[in-house]
């Protein structure tokens, strides 16, 4: 039987994995940002962000599809995209 303590340990492990994945995403995003800057490409692509959101939400298909949770995921990813853009703008100003 699972206990609250064992479930919390699993949650803590998920947090570590999320942290590691967000760091990896940051590094990849920074690499794309640098290439765009070198090539004079626009930094923001509304079409790309819309596709990211659509693809991210659609990862959860099948019988366990949960529209309310999909909305939560969309909001989380929108927040991540905004925060990464803010971070990159501070790290690599357009000037």
């Amino acid at each position: 039987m699972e206990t609250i303590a064992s479930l919390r340990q699993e949650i803590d492990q998920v947090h570590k994995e999320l942290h590691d994945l967000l760091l990896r995403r940051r590094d990849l995003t920074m690499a794309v940002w640098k290439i765009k800057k070198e090539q004079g490409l626009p930094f923001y692509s509304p079409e790309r962000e819309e596709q990211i959101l659509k693809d991210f939400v659609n990862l959860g298909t099948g019988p366990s599809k949960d529209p309310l949770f999909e909305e939560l995921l969309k909001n989380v990813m929108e927040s991540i995209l905004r925060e990464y853009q803010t971070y990159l703008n501070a790290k690599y100003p357009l000037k």
Side-chain angles (χ1 to χ4, degrees), residues 32-91:
V32 169
W33 193 265
K34 286 179 184 178
I35 291 169
K36 284 184 169 189
K37 188 172 184 177
E38 289 168 1
Q39 295 181 2
L41 298 171
F43 295 114
Y44 177 71
S45 171
E47 299 83 15
R48 171 70 177 142
E49 287 203 8
E50 193 60 39
Q51 190 63 48
I52 289 170
L53 291 172
K54 181 180 171 192
D55 291 346
F56 188 73
V57 170
N58 286 334
L59 289 172
T61 60
S64 62
K65 197 166 174 88
D66 181 347
L68 191 56
F69 192 69
E70 288 176 6
E71 186 63 26
L72 177 145
L73 289 175
K74 181 181 176 197
N75 291 338
V76 167
M77 183 53 82
E78 283 176 336
S79 177
I80 288 170
L81 292 172
R82 260 192 324 274
E83 292 301 324
Y84 271 81
Q85 187 169 10
T86 299
Y87 170 78
L88 290 169
N89 280 328
K91 186 104 174 149

